[in-house]
């Protein structure tokens, strides 16, 4: 088919001719240059009119500011345009496949957002009288019921704010239980493949951390674990499915060994999305496990606001849950806010993140038990589709199928001059957020891909085609395509080491 040859030239090459010039504006078509907001606005003006302040007396005990605030003043249109332009430079789950392994970047259903904005939920305040929040307490109670049902555990604490905070809650409950029985233990065991927050949480709570090695198949070495268990071990913190994307098939034997040593079994529930509706951690011998509501139950990541990391507890720990928690009464529902002698006490000032509770329960009820199970199955199916489709051009770290995420290492890049980092940066030029890099640490140059259940086969095939193409380019010696990538992003390759060691966190007009 010929192209139009009348008027302006529309040949295939015309679109790329005469493009090597600098624009007067600094923009490049729809790739808009955007300075810092401090460089846009003046600190001498404000975007709103406020009345002059009359005579008044300070009442803040000498803590008044002695220097200028230094905030730029912009009219509303300029402020909206600034942040809208910045948002167009970012990548999000609403733009495409977000394959970050161990992050479960699934779609956030808009139904959840609608529910979270309902009057009584969207405008609720933690200092409201309890008589005015009976509906919120009923929602918290129902969410608690389903979290316990899905895990086979008898008790739950909703108040932790995120996954790592949930870990803190779980380990503090374990410490409370040990203290109650007069058992001073000082060691927590963590597998080498653990999320970094596991040993960090243990250390934060005053425990010594000892690592447990993995076997060649990527799973915990049960015999090494048994050798490490003694009367000094307070708990074992283990993720299942683990961060290699594999189910710990000796999980019952692991739990039995832990309990035989008088210790507790803490399960990192970050990967619960792979087994929800299929297996219950309580049946596997778990004593405490946190959820990431932003992962398993689709509440927003990061910029969506405060997170939520509820923790479920076994019979051995349920007396030590923190306050507050909801209970049913003859009049409906009430909040227990005073800790008894066994409770670990209060973990946070108030009752948790209501917006996340609403979204998570909306996800559960809209899916139903069959939908929850199918979501887990589809997440595992998608990950195995990636594993099978890339196995001949990339190197899978372990034999056999995976669970929710596919783990590759950098052996396929040997002698190519391309590193895992280079490969990940080249994915940005393909229009994808990179997968998780260099984690877990048990394999060299790790590339961890978790597609979640959200992605259709069409989306998966597009992603796989790009990954296969990049693998072919790397093996074909096209190092230049990778060494300076990304080339088509708003910013090119940055010095990440310098940015991490010497971050510029404060604006200075002199710099």
């Amino acid at each position: 088919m010929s192209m139009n040859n009348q008027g302006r030239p529309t040949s295939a090459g015309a679109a790329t001719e005469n493009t090597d010039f600098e624009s007067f504006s600094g923009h490049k078509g729809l790739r808009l240059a955007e300075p810092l907001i401090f460089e846009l606005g003046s600190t001498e003006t404000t975007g709103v009119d406020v009345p002059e302040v009359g005579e008044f007396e300070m009442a803040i005990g000498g803590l008044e500011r002695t220097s200028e605030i230094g905030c730029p003043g912009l009219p509303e249109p300029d402020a909206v345009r600034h942040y809208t332009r910045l948002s167009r430079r970012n990548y999000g789950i609403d733009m495409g496949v977000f394959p970050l392994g161990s992050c479960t970047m699934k779609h956030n259903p808009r139904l959840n957002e609608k529910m979270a904005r309902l009057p009584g939920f969207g405008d609720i305040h933690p200092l409201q009288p309890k008589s005015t929040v009976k509906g919120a307490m009923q929602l918290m109670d129902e969410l608690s019921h389903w979290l316990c049902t899905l895990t086979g555990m008898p008790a739950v604490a909703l108040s932790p704010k995120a996954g790592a905070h949930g870990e803190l809650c779980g380990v503090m409950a374990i410490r409370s239980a040990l203290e109650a029985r007069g058992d001073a233990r000082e060691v927590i065991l963590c597998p080498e493949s653990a999320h970094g927050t596991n040993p960090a949480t243990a250390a934060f709570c005053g425990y010594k951390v000892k690592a447990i090695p993995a076997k060649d198949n990527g799973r915990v070495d049960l015999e090494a674990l048994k050798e490490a268990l003694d009367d000094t071990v307070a708990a074992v913190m283990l993720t299942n499915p683990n961060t290699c994307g594999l189910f710990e098939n000796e999980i019952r034997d692991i739990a039995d060994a832990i309990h035989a040593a008088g210790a507790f079994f803490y399960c990192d529930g970050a990967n619960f999305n792979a087994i929800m509706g299929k297996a219950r951690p309580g049946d596997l011998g778990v004593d405490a496990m946190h959820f990431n509501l932003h992962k398993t139950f689709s509440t927003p990541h990061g910029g969506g606001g405060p997170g939520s990391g509820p923790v479920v507890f076994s019979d051995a720990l349920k007396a030590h849950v923190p306050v507050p928690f909801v209970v049913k009464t003859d009049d409906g529902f009430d909040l227990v806010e005073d800790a008894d002698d066994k409770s670990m006490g209060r973990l946070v000032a108030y009752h948790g993140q209501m917006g996340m509770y609403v979204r998570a329960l909306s996800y559960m009820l809209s899916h139903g038990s069959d939908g929850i199970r199918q979501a887990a199955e589809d997440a595992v199916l998608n990950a195995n589709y990636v594993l099978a489709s890339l196995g001949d051009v990339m190197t899978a770290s372990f034999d056999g199928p995976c669970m929710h995420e596919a783990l590759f290492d950098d052996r396929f890049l040997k002698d190519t001059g391309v590193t895992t980092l280079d490969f990940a940066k080249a994915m940005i030029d393909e229009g994808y957020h990179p997968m998780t890099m260099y984690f877990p640490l048990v394999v060299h140059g790790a590339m961890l891909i978790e597609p979640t259940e959200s992605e259709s086969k069409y989306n998966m095939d597009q992603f796989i085609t790009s990954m296969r193409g990049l693998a072919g380019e790397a093996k074909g010696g096209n190092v230049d395509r990778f060494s300076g990538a990304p080339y088509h992003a708003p910013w090119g390759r940055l010095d990440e080491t310098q940015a991490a060691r010497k971050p510029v966190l404060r604006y200075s007009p002199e710099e």
Side-chain angles (χ1 to χ4, degrees):
M1 183 177 71
S2 62
M3 301 181 73
N4 173 38
N5 57 12
Q6 302 296 319
R8 295 179 180 176
T10 55
S11 65
T16 57
E17 292 174 1
N18 302 318
T19 59
D20 189 19
F21 63 87
E22 293 293 329
S23 65
F24 298 109
S25 64
H27 304 321
K28 294 182 179 179
L30 294 180
R31 290 177 59 182
L32 305 177
E34 190 62 22
L36 297 175
I37 196 169
F38 295 96
E39 298 168 320
L40 284 175
S42 168
T43 58
E44 305 301 318
T45 60
T46 179
V48 296
D49 293 327
V50 293
E52 292 292 332
V53 179
E55 293 291 330
F56 67 95
E57 182 178 345
M58 284 288 188
I60 55 175
L63 299 177
E64 60 268 20
R65 177 182 290 275
T66 58
S67 60
E68 295 293 329
I69 296 177
C71 292
L74 277 75
E76 182 175 295
D78 289 350
V80 170
R81 288 169 181 165
H82 171 71
Y83 289 106
T84 301
R85 288 171 175 173
L86 289 181
S87 72
R88 292 173 58 180
R89 293 179 168 219
N90 206 353
Y91 188 88
I93 191 61
D94 290 339
M95 296 181 68
V97 178
F98 210 122
L100 275 174
S102 212
C103 293
T104 317
M105 303 295 288
K106 65 168 69 179
H107 172 63
N108 306 136
R110 293 308 180 262
L111 173 63
N112 300 356
E113 302 305 313
K114 183 177 181 180
M115 295 299 102
R117 285 163 173 75
L118 288 173
F121 293 143
D123 55 0
I124 198 169
H125 192 281
L127 295 181
Q128 281 183 236
K130 287 190 286 187
S131 61
T132 68
V133 292
K134 295 292 185 179
M137 287 192 284
Q138 180 177 351
L139 185 145
M140 293 166 68
D141 181 75
E142 186 164 357
L143 175 63
S144 298
H145 165 75
W146 290 118
L147 292 175
C148 289
T149 299
L150 283 167
T151 56
M153 309 278 267
V156 62
L158 294 181
S159 55
K161 303 298 188 185
H165 201 212
E167 291 178 21
L168 178 66
C169 175
V171 174
M172 289 177 69
I174 289 170
R175 184 173 64 185
S176 176
L178 290 170
E179 289 175 350
R181 73 188 193 195
D183 193 352
R185 299 190 175 212
E186 57 185 23
V187 176
I188 286 183
L189 305 179
C190 296
E192 292 177 344
S193 61
H195 288 114
T197 51
N198 292 179
T201 298
F204 185 80
C205 287
Y207 289 102
K208 299 175 183 177
V209 179
K210 292 183 179 180
I212 301 299
K215 296 185 292 187
D216 291 341
N217 65 2
R219 295 168 174 86
V220 169
D221 188 327
L222 177 58
E223 295 308 313
L225 175 67
K226 289 180 176 178
E227 290 180 9
L229 285 168
D230 57 28
D231 59 6
T232 69
V233 175
V236 175
M237 301 183 75
L238 182 147
T239 307
N240 191 35
N242 66 27
T243 60
C244 298
L246 304 172
F247 190 85
E248 294 285 353
N249 49 19
E250 295 181 299
I251 190 72
R252 279 295 331 184
D253 293 332
I254 290 172
D256 290 344
I258 293 170
H259 295 146
F264 291 96
F265 183 2
Y266 184 92
C267 182
D268 183 327
N271 297 332
F272 186 64
N273 195 59
I275 61 172
M276 60 178 180
K278 302 288 291 184
R280 304 193 309 172
D283 298 334
L284 303 178
V286 171
D287 290 305
M289 186 192 84
H290 77 266
F291 298 92
N292 298 84
L293 294 189
H294 58 280
K295 298 173 69 172
T296 308
F297 300 112
S298 78
T299 71
H301 282 66
S308 184
V311 183
V312 285
F313 296 96
S314 68
D315 284 319
L317 291 177
K318 67 181 182 181
H320 303 276
V321 300
V323 293
F325 54 85
V326 176
V327 293
K328 288 184 178 180
T329 66
D330 293 339
D331 297 328
F333 299 92
D334 195 10
L335 277 171
V336 175
E337 299 193 77
D338 296 319
D340 60 21
D341 293 338
K342 291 184 178 180
S343 170
M344 59 178 279
R346 183 177 288 269
L347 189 68
V348 296
Y350 298 112
H351 319 307
Q353 211 332 337
M354 177 55 63
M356 301 304 117
Y357 300 161
V358 178
R359 290 173 173 90
L361 185 60
S362 173
Y363 180 88
M364 291 179 184
L365 297 182
S366 60
H367 277 69
S369 60
D370 57 336
I372 288 286
R373 186 183 308 109
Q374 183 181 342
E377 292 170 349
D378 289 350
V380 173
L381 178 64
N382 272 352
N384 278 281
Y385 186 54
V386 169
L387 184 65
S389 299
L390 298 178
D392 61 327
V393 294
M394 297 171 64
T395 43
S397 299
F398 302 103
D399 295 332
C402 62
M403 290 294 289
H404 60 295
E405 54 194 355
L407 178 60
F408 300 92
D409 53 52
D410 62 359
R411 285 174 292 166
F412 76 98
L413 296 175
K414 185 178 180 181
D415 300 327
T416 63
V418 177
T419 67
T420 290
L421 179 64
D422 295 333
F423 194 90
K425 295 296 185 184
M427 289 176 64
I428 299 174
D429 286 332
E430 294 292 314
Y432 293 108
H433 193 287
M435 66 275 162
T436 295
M437 302 176 291
Y438 300 111
F439 179 83
L441 304 177
V442 293
V443 302
H444 194 274
M447 304 178 198
L448 190 60
I449 299 173
E450 182 181 4
T452 82
E453 73 276 12
S454 299
E455 304 305 335
S456 65
K457 184 176 182 297
Y458 174 80
N459 290 338
M460 288 283 85
D461 287 340
Q462 279 193 315
F463 174 76
I464 289 164
T465 297
S466 292
M467 296 293 284
R468 291 183 66 88
L470 289 175
E473 289 285 285
K475 293 177 180 179
N478 189 1
V479 179
D480 290 343
R481 176 163 186 162
F482 298 87
S483 59
Y487 297 102
H488 301 312
W491 297 102
R493 182 74 68 97
L494 303 177
D495 186 340
E496 297 181 8
T497 302
Q498 183 78 353
R501 293 182 177 179
K502 296 182 179 180
V504 180
L505 304 177
R506 183 183 296 272
Y507 171 72
S508 173
E510 290 79 24
E511 294 183 1

